[in-house]
């Protein structure tokens, strides 16, 4: 498949890294020659320097025979015009655009993106993706990472094992025997900075970060087995009243189980805007680093603080301060992945990486067809892929134990009809089933071959 990626920033670079690693013909376009040079020297991609919306630049990038264009520059307007030029001049079949401004995303203006207006096939909103990720973190306070699969019937949970975890030093095989009715499986372990798919004989140790794939009804039980509490969130303080903070506050207001939220926003005009657009949420104007303001917001009695300003270091410092004042849980928005290793040392419970959420969303639409969901783990180290099993797939009609998966691949669950099932060795995978697979990055091409969902297949 021939793909043009416009924008060589963090998101564009990661998408190029994924697709070039899967033997696609990838060209990266950016007006910054340094970013183009970095991409072409570190990845197996071609680079073109220039403005992505210019027809001659797209022509040099090979738009005449491209299968897809992904517009992920820092400008919404450039992304929109790029898709229009790709459609009108070069007839590129599939166009994906990242749009940040919420004014472009209002449902009442959805007709804007029809093929006879602005021909964008898929619109990705980083702010909405991040707000959804924040809601999932709040729903699972014991987890540092979480994502839903099978239409909400299953969840991926990332948790850190403490010294008092009751199942330390127990082989995973034995855990499955002890809790046979538990519909959950450990699919990934990060130990001393290295992520891997565990074998049945592997044990878990204090300090391990593990990823559990669990049936939604068994999430609380699974967390309890690994020594985690499942306290309900009733009071939340949100630091940052921008698009993300406002979206989370709105979502909390609509939840059936009443959650009391307060928002702190430094910019007065933005604080007034947030207050006008929220019904039950209290909005305070001031600096989230101010101890007196945090105490006025009752952060010491809150169940969680969500820090989503546009500055990583501010988010980290406010999280630390809120924890020091007695808040039991802090979630921080972190754009720079090199800061993530500091989270544990600073006692920050969970983080949200906008790049990872956006990359996951774009990948889901790139691998369209039978792929239903994709979640990128860590710094693009692994993926969890949810897909429907085709009749042509080597998986169809075989028992799990008889399938030769690569070493870095584990099945998280299989859904037959609307029933989510634990992947035991004697479970038969049939055509039409949905399957969730954890795969290390290097094994993703083989997983796509097994699922027969490579874009080339379509």
């Amino acid at each position: 498949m021939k793909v043009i990626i416009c924008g060589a920033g963090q998101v564009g670079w990661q998408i190029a890294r994924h697709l070039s690693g899967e033997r696609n013909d990838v060209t990266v376009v950016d007006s910054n020659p340094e970013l183009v040079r970095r991409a072409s020297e570190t990845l197996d991609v071609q680079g073109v320097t220039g403005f992505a919306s210019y027809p001659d630049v797209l022509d040099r990038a090979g738009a005449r025979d491209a299968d897809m264009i992904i517009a992920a520059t820092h400008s919404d307007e450039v992304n929109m015009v790029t898709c229009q030029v790709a459609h009108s001049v070069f007839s590129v079949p599939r166009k994906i655009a990242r749009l940040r401004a919420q004014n472009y995303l209002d449902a009442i203006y959805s007709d804007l993106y029809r093929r006879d207006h602005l021909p964008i096939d898929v619109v990705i909103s980083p702010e909405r993706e991040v707000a959804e990720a924040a809601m999932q973190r709040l729903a699972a306070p014991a987890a540092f990472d979480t994502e839903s699969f099978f239409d909400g019937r299953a969840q991926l949970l990332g948790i850190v094992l403490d010294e008092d975890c009751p199942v330390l030093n127990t082989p995973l095989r034995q855990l499955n025997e002890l809790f046979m009715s538990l519909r959950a499986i450990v699919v990934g372990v990060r130990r001393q900075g290295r992520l891997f798919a565990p074998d049945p004989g592997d044990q878990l140790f204090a300090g391990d970060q593990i990823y559990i794939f669990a049936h939604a009804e068994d999430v609380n039980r699974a967390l309890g087995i690994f020594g985690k509490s499942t306290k309900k969130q009733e009071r939340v303080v949100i630091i940052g009243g921008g698009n993300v903070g406002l979206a989370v506050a709105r979502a909390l207001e609509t939840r059936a189980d009443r959650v009391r939220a307060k928002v702190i926003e430094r910019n007065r005009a933005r604080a007034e805007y947030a207050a006008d657009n929220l019904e039950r949420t209290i909005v305070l104007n001031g600096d989230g680093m101010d101890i007196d303001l945090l105490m006025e917001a009752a952060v010491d009695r809150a169940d969680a603080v969500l820090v989503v300003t546009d500055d990583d270091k501010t988010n980290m410092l406010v999280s630390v301060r809120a924890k020091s004042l007695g808040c039991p849980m802090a979630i921080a928005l972190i754009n720079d992945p090199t800061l993530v290793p500091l989270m544990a040392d600073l006692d920050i419970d969970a983080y949200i990486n906008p790049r990872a959420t956006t990359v996951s969303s774009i990948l889901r639409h790139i691998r369209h067809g039978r792929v239903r969901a994709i979640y990128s783990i860590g710094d693009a180290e692994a993926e969890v892929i949810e897909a429907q099993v085709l009749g042509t797939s080597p998986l169809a009609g075989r028992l799990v134990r008889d399938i030769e998966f690569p070493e870095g691949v584990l099945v998280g669950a299989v859904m037959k009809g609307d029933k989510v099932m634990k992947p035991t060795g004697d479970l038969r995978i049939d055509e039409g089933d949905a399957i969730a697979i954890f795969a290390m990055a290097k094994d993703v091409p083989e997983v796509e071959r097994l699922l027969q969902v490579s874009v080339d297949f379509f």
Side-chain angles (χ1 to χ4, degrees):
M1 181 174 67
K2 185 169 184 176
V3 183
I4 299 174
I5 300 172
C6 301
Q10 291 185 346
V11 169
W13 191 87
Q14 285 291 354
I15 293 296
R17 175 181 166 187
H18 275 274
L19 295 183
S20 63
E22 294 162 17
R23 300 184 295 278
N24 293 292
D25 181 358
V26 178
T27 301
V28 173
V29 179
D30 200 288
S31 59
N32 186 330
E34 284 301 309
L35 292 180
V36 173
R37 182 183 60 78
R38 183 190 70 152
S40 58
E41 289 183 357
T42 58
L43 304 172
D44 183 18
V45 302
Q46 301 174 64
V48 172
T49 302
F51 290 97
S53 56
Y54 290 3
D56 63 314
V57 173
L58 289 181
D59 198 5
R60 281 192 286 127
R64 293 190 185 277
D65 58 350
D67 300 297
M68 179 184 297
I69 191 162
I70 302 169
T73 75
H74 293 295
S75 168
D76 288 355
E77 289 73 23
V78 169
N79 294 340
M80 295 161 79
V81 172
T82 298
C83 289
Q84 181 71 69
V85 172
H87 174 79
S88 301
V89 179
F90 301 107
S91 301
V92 177
R94 191 161 177 81
K95 299 157 289 292
I96 298 175
R98 179 178 66 176
L99 301 182
R100 283 196 170 94
Q102 299 303 295
N103 306 62
Y104 289 131
L105 302 171
D106 196 308
I108 64 174
Y109 306 128
S110 58
D111 279 357
L112 178 64
Y113 306 110
R114 290 202 321 232
R115 296 184 71 82
D116 51 346
H117 294 157
L118 273 175
I120 302 174
D121 300 297
V122 178
V123 172
I124 304 294
S125 166
E127 281 80 6
R128 289 187 178 179
E129 300 288 339
V130 169
E132 177 61 29
M135 290 298 294
Q136 293 196 40
R137 299 291 189 281
L138 289 170
F144 67 81
D145 200 357
T146 180
E147 180 69 16
S148 294
F149 291 88
F150 298 141
D151 299 321
R153 294 183 178 90
Q155 275 195 300
L156 178 74
L157 302 164
I159 63 173
V160 179
L161 299 185
D162 301 320
E163 294 283 355
D164 58 355
C165 173
V167 294
L168 294 182
N169 307 315
T170 305
L172 293 177
R173 182 187 296 107
Q174 190 173 336
L175 279 182
N176 286 330
E177 294 169 357
L178 289 171
F179 306 102
M180 293 187 67
S181 63
L182 179 70
R183 292 167 293 180
I185 182 171
V186 178
V187 293
V189 177
R190 187 188 302 280
R191 181 174 298 151
Q192 297 177 344
R194 186 178 74 89
L195 181 68
F196 61 93
D199 292 325
D202 285 342
Q203 301 178 28
L204 300 176
F205 304 110
D208 283 354
Q209 294 181 354
I210 68 171
Y211 288 88
I212 306 167
F213 200 94
H215 191 293
E217 295 175 358
D218 288 2
V219 165
N220 288 345
R221 185 183 170 204
L223 289 172
I225 287 170
F226 289 97
K228 299 295 181 180
S229 63
T230 55
K231 185 179 183 296
K232 181 183 175 183
Q233 307 283 44
E234 296 178 344
R235 298 181 180 87
V236 176
V237 176
I238 302 170
I239 314 295
N243 290 332
V244 174
L246 184 58
V248 173
R250 281 173 171 164
L252 291 175
E253 285 189 340
T254 60
R255 279 174 54 165
D257 53 332
R258 188 178 177 87
V259 177
R260 285 176 280 183
K262 294 179 181 178
V263 174
I264 297 177
E265 167 55 43
R266 186 172 186 170
N267 181 279
R268 183 173 184 82
R270 184 65 196 185
E272 291 175 351
Y273 178 82
D276 290 341
N277 284 271
L278 295 169
E279 296 179 5
R280 300 192 308 269
T281 304
I282 297 172
V283 180
L284 303 174
N285 175 222
D287 189 348
M289 279 293 292
D290 187 329
I291 290 180
D292 292 334
L293 189 59
L294 287 173
M295 294 304 292
E296 183 182 344
V299 74
D300 57 322
R301 299 196 301 275
D303 296 307
V305 61
L306 174 66
V307 195
V308 288
T309 77
D310 57 4
D311 183 78
D312 286 357
K313 296 178 179 63
T314 296
N315 295 344
M316 294 168 69
L317 289 171
V318 173
S319 297
V320 171
R321 176 152 285 180
K323 294 275 290 199
S324 71
L325 294 174
C327 185
M329 180 185 183
I331 305 171
L333 182 69
I334 302 295
N335 288 278
D336 183 353
T338 64
L339 297 175
V340 170
L342 299 175
M343 298 293 103
D345 293 336
L346 295 174
D347 195 28
I348 298 174
D349 303 277
Y351 68 91
I352 304 165
N353 184 337
R355 181 186 70 178
T357 58
T358 305
V359 167
S360 294
S361 184
I362 291 175
L363 285 175
R364 181 170 67 248
H365 293 291
I366 290 175
R367 301 195 184 114
H368 64 300
R370 297 301 186 268
V371 167
R372 297 154 47 117
I374 286 181
Y375 186 62
S376 180
I377 292 177
D379 190 16
E381 299 158 275
E383 291 180 14
V384 177
I385 302 171
E386 176 192 329
Q388 186 177 353
V389 177
L390 299 172
T392 54
S393 167
L395 304 180
R398 300 179 66 186
L399 302 180
V400 170
R401 70 162 65 93
D402 296 332
I403 301 171
E404 295 182 2
F405 289 110
E407 185 179 343
V409 173
L410 283 176
V411 178
V414 176
M415 187 167 73
K416 292 180 176 291
D418 59 357
K419 185 177 181 181
V420 177
M421 308 183 71
K422 186 175 178 178
T424 57
D426 57 357
L427 178 65
R428 175 189 166 103
I429 297 176
D430 296 310
E431 178 183 357
D433 289 351
I435 187 170
I437 294 176
F438 172 94
M440 298 301 295
K442 64 180 177 59
D443 297 310
V444 168
E446 175 62 12
V447 169
E448 287 203 317
R449 187 194 70 78
L450 288 171
L451 293 169
Q452 292 291 299
V453 293
S454 172
V455 178
D456 294 336
F457 178 77
F458 297 96

